[in-house]
Amino acid sequence: MDIEKLATTAQAIVAKGKGILAADESFGTIEKRFKKIGVSSTEENRRAYRELLFTTKGIGEFISGVILFDETLRQASADRTPFPKVLQKAGSIPGIKVDIGAKPLAGFPGEKITEGLDGLRERLAEYFKLGARFTKWRAVITIGNGIPTRFCIDANAHALAQYAALSQEAGLVPIVEPEVLMDGDHSIERCAEVTETTLKSLYFHLHAHRVVLEGTLLKPNMVIAGKSCPTQAKVGQVAQATVDVLRRCVPAAVPGIVFLSGGQSETEATVHLNAMNRISGLPWELSFSYGRALQASALDAWGGKASQLGAAQKAYYHRAKLNGAARHGKYTPAMESAG
Ligand code: 13P
């Protein structure tokens, strides 16, 4: 294992002013997103949509890495350039989602365990050959009546650590993603408590599996009240609560933290990241790895029409640029309309 190479890749992904596009929607998820805009999820539509994103002019200025789905890693642009090459040319590092989804955890109603460890070593070797240089594994923690259980948190942390060790062995930087879901009416305090327990368990298991933290990235949720909680926290509160929890749990050896958007609107995700980057004295880069919060406007603008390609690329570029500004704590609401 070449630790230095892993650390260099991890640092490049969290370079100043840049972040990750999560374009790794599985078949089920992309179908859901396409349905909203009246587009059927055919292989060609999925390819055309991803090409639109990857070939947006100048996007490498703000997008350091792109997480792909297995199918997308094997696809190519209309001129037959494999997507990993397209991304490299644009200045972004290709990555790949390697888990195969969160499934019900037997014996624990309402809780999930992420699967995909079987045969993972072989899949990782192939992904490296196809050009991927980092990976992602998402665990899901649900807040509800009597959940999450300690068992569910630890089982998912164990799987994340096993995945991370295998990923580093294959020369790929693991992005560990333990997502505490926004679904529910829980308070921001409850989210803080669950996120802290989850991250402490995760770093315990990463240590136990001898994962080298310098060659990893963390993709957590922000600490935020549940979607249906009547009292929503203010921007400053979300930023402070998130940073407080991270400080208690994430060792300074981790080069960067790349947040998921998790159902926040595009603007909310940008505003929260911006507020966190205004807090000084933090040991890690605070960046983004957004799916919905980078793509929502672009998807709407596209609507499956080739004639709308330019408008969709413009919307995506604009969103990436605003998040790039938030990486420096330099985003202002006035920038929203400037695009
Ligand atoms: P969202 O930003 O839409 O939550 O997606 C990020 C992601 O990759 C979830 O695994």
Side-chain angles (χ1 to χ4, degrees):
M1 185 186 1
D2 188 339
I3 296 298
E4 232 166 85
K5 251 193 200 153
L6 289 172
T8 305
T9 303
Q11 285 159 18
I13 294 170
V14 291
K16 299 268 182 221
K18 300 185 187 190
I20 300 171
L21 165 69
D24 59 332
E25 296 84 1
S26 58
F27 291 126
T29 307
I30 198 73
E31 190 173 2
K32 220 163 57 183
R33 306 268 187 272
F34 277 8
K35 206 169 176 184
K36 264 197 185 159
I37 55 163
V39 173
S40 60
S41 181
T42 61
E43 185 177 348
E44 174 50 24
N45 282 344
R46 291 190 294 270
R47 194 206 61 76
Y49 173 62
R50 265 72 182 245
E51 176 169 4
L52 173 167
L53 295 174
F54 305 161
T55 56
T56 297
K57 222 170 153 223
I59 199 68
E61 202 184 325
F62 313 111
I63 301 296
S64 52
V66 177
I67 315 174
L68 305 171
F69 180 58
D70 182 278
E71 176 189 68
T72 322
L73 186 73
R74 303 169 195 279
Q75 286 177 323
S77 57
D79 69 3
R80 295 178 187 233
T81 313
F83 277 152
K85 274 245 162 63
V86 172
L87 292 173
Q88 280 159 9
K89 272 197 208 156
S92 310
I93 302 172
I96 175 86
K97 182 232 303 284
V98 303
D99 67 72
I100 55 170
K103 309 282 160 67
L105 179 61
F108 291 79
E111 299 199 284
K112 290 187 167 167
I113 181 79
T114 300
E115 296 184 350
L117 289 169
D118 288 351
L120 182 57
R121 176 176 271 130
E122 291 71 27
R123 282 198 291 132
L124 291 171
E126 191 196 3
Y127 290 147
F128 187 94
K129 273 195 203 141
L130 288 168
R133 288 299 174 266
F134 70 98
T135 58
K136 183 194 98 171
W137 178 289
R138 172 172 175 259
V140 174
I141 305 296
T142 310
I143 298 180
N145 213 350
I147 59 171
T149 60
R150 183 77 220 192
F151 182 84
C152 174
I153 288 174
D154 291 341
N156 275 290
H158 187 271
L160 272 162
Q162 233 182 311
Y163 137 77
L166 281 163
S167 200
Q168 290 195 329
E169 181 194 83
L172 296 155
V173 171
I175 298 187
V176 287
E177 179 181 11
E179 176 175 3
V180 176
L181 294 177
M182 272 174 78
D183 300 339
D185 61 358
H186 52 272
S187 65
I188 185 170
E189 289 80 12
R190 177 82 177 120
C191 177
E193 182 185 47
V194 172
T195 304
E196 184 170 336
T197 306
T198 300
L199 292 177
K200 283 187 172 148
S201 175
L202 173 63
Y203 282 98
F204 169 81
H205 284 93
L206 288 173
H207 174 70
H209 280 79
R210 303 183 175 174
V211 172
V212 183
L213 296 183
E214 286 82 350
T216 66
L217 292 169
L218 172 67
K219 177 162 174 168
N221 52 285
M222 294 182 195
V223 173
I224 207 166
K227 248 188 267 173
S228 36
C229 176
T231 20
Q232 288 295 321
K234 297 220 162 56
V235 173
Q237 241 179 313
V238 170
Q240 197 57 53
T242 304
V243 159
D244 286 347
V245 166
L246 292 172
R247 246 200 287 246
R248 290 187 200 122
C249 307
V250 186
V254 174
I257 294 172
V258 294
F259 293 100
L260 59 94
S261 60
Q264 299 179 60
S265 71
E266 288 180 317
T267 314
E268 281 168 342
T270 306
V271 166
H272 287 146
L273 178 66
N274 188 62
M276 282 188 260
N277 273 305
R278 286 198 181 163
I279 299 171
S280 56
L282 301 174
W284 346 262
E285 291 293 328
L286 293 184
S287 186
F288 57 92
S289 175
Y290 295 159
R292 284 162 285 181
L294 268 173
Q295 296 181 55
S297 297
L299 267 168
D300 282 343
W302 177 55
K305 298 184 191 77
S307 60
Q308 290 301 104
L309 186 133
Q313 290 187 326
K314 205 170 154 193
Y316 169 49
Y317 182 88
H318 183 58
R319 211 62 241 162
K321 186 176 173 175
L322 298 193
N323 284 304
R327 285 283 282 107
H328 297 291
K330 287 194 170 145
Y331 162 87
T332 60
M335 294 165 86
E336 290 287 345
S337 50

